[in-house]
């Protein structure tokens, strides 16, 4: 968030366990955080739009790695079960796979796995199948605010399915403008929708798109989404600056 310390870690009950990531210009400071994920070996990885980098911290808040691989605007990221990080570069229209030894603070590999995307932002990796979902933000002609497109790739990066706001609107009752995406433990694609202020399940990649609203009231501007180990759903609500936890 935009406070003096940019990263807050909360326990399942909502108590704040740790704060770090100073606002500032030093190497491990965070200028403009855009997304955050946690690797299975317990490192917190952040995209920093301020200096176009990806930064990793241990749980004490010590900076262990800063990657500046010629990114244009690194935006969304998610960790795979193997501690790799899948990362979108919104300005370059690319999807990266980043492999590092976070304990030693060493970058092993940073490779482009998909290019020619349109403003890709939110991204999620299925912990079961390895499928990857990317949210693209499409520019609209004229005064319209534009639309979003959900793109689903297999673990081998084959395009499985895609649908934009217009296509989803033909299937569903309302226009969907999605900002965040996650997989639940059964491999279903879950998205936030700021038009209807809701969280919606679009089903598994093979049945996409289905329409199942999971949370349809109590949100004002949902922009972030993740599942906890106990299958509770955590939603970051930018409208009232809160983190909301829903039981499964």
């Amino acid at each position: 968030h935009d406070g003096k310390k940019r990263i807050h870690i909360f326990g399942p009950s909502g108590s704040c366990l740790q704060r770090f990531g100073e606002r500032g210009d030093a190497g491990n400071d965070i200028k403009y955080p855009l997304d955050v994920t946690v690797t299975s070996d317990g490192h917190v990885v952040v995209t920093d739009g301020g200096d176009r980098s990806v930064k990793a911290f241990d749980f004490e808040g010590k900076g262990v790695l800063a990657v500046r691989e010629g990114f244009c605007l690194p935006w969304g990221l998610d960790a795979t079960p193997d501690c790799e990080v899948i990362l979108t570069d919104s300005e370059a229209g690319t999807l990266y796979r980043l492999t590092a030894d976070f304990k030693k603070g060493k970058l092993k590999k940073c490779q482009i796995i998909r290019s020619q995307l349109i403003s890709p932002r939110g991204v999620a990796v299925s912990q079961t199948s390895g499928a990857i979902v990317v949210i693209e933000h499409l520019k609209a002609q004229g005064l319209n605010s534009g639309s979003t497109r959900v793109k689903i790739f297999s673990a081998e990066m084959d395009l499985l399915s895609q649908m934009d706001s217009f296509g989803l609107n033909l299937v569903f009752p309302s226009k969907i403008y999605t900002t965040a995406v996650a997989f639940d433990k059964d491999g279903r694609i879950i998205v936030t929708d700021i038009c209807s202020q809701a969280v919606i399940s679009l089903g598994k990649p093979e049945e996409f798109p289905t329409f199942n609203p999971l949370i349809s009231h109590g949100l004002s501007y949902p922009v972030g989404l993740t599942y906890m180990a106990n299958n509770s759903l955590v939603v970051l609500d930018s409208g009232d600056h809160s983190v909301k936890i829903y039981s499964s």
Side-chain angles (χ1 to χ4, degrees):
H1 80 136
D2 201 28
K4 182 165 166 35
K5 293 199 171 171
R6 297 305 180 81
I7 307 298
H8 288 207
I9 297 179
F10 297 94
S13 64
S15 56
C16 186
L17 307 177
Q18 184 64 275
R19 294 180 171 92
F20 58 85
E22 295 280 336
R23 177 206 295 259
D25 294 324
N28 288 319
D29 289 349
I30 298 176
K31 297 185 174 188
Y32 197 86
L34 287 167
D35 202 0
V36 62
T37 190
V38 179
T39 63
S40 54
D41 66 357
H43 288 86
V44 179
V45 187
V46 184
T47 44
D48 190 341
D51 63 1
R52 303 178 177 196
S53 67
V54 177
K55 292 166 182 166
F57 301 84
D58 64 19
F59 255 82
E60 269 53 69
K62 177 171 159 278
V64 294
L65 182 66
V67 183
R68 297 173 176 86
E69 287 287 301
F71 300 129
C72 294
L73 186 58
W75 196 294
L77 76 177
D78 198 17
T80 73
D82 307 330
C83 274
E84 294 183 321
V85 172
I86 304 296
L87 165 79
T88 63
D89 187 323
S90 182
E91 213 168 275
T94 49
L95 193 63
Y96 284 90
R97 185 189 307 275
L98 197 142
T99 313
D101 184 333
F102 292 110
K103 285 193 174 73
K104 291 182 179 164
K106 273 175 63 177
L107 176 67
K108 292 181 180 172
K109 201 153 116 189
C110 187
Q111 65 181 128
I112 294 175
I113 54 174
R114 195 81 189 191
S115 56
Q116 295 179 315
L117 299 168
I118 299 169
S119 290
R121 294 185 187 172
V123 63
V125 183
S126 169
Q127 303 298 299
T128 48
S129 69
I132 295 172
V133 173
V134 179
I135 306 295
E136 293 180 297
H137 287 245
L138 311 175
K139 312 276 188 294
Q141 303 297 315
L143 296 172
N144 219 331
S145 60
S147 68
T148 54
R149 178 163 58 198
V150 179
K151 256 188 176 152
I152 308 168
F153 299 98
S154 69
E156 297 73 41
M157 289 312 296
D158 298 318
L159 182 63
L160 299 178
S161 189
Q162 64 176 5
M163 196 166 279
D164 61 14
S165 296
F166 178 74
L168 289 168
N169 197 15
L170 297 177
V171 184
F172 308 142
S174 64
K175 184 187 174 188
I176 291 183
Y177 192 96
T178 181
T179 50
V181 61
F183 280 96
D184 71 7
K185 71 171 176 29
D186 298 319
R188 294 184 197 91
I189 297 160
I190 314 298
V191 297
T192 58
D193 174 29
I194 56 176
C195 288
S196 62
Q197 302 166 316
V199 174
I200 297 160
S201 169
L202 298 178
K204 296 180 180 178
E206 58 271 21
E207 59 196 30
F208 175 84
T210 60
F211 184 79
N212 179 21
L214 301 180
I215 304 164
S216 52
H217 61 274
L219 296 172
S220 50
Y221 202 87
V223 294
L225 188 67
T226 193
Y227 275 90
M228 295 202 291
N230 65 1
N231 211 34
S232 297
L233 178 60
V234 184
V235 182
L236 181 65
D237 192 338
S238 196
D240 60 4
H241 310 287
S242 65
V243 174
K244 295 171 181 174
I245 303 176
Y246 297 85
S247 68
S248 56

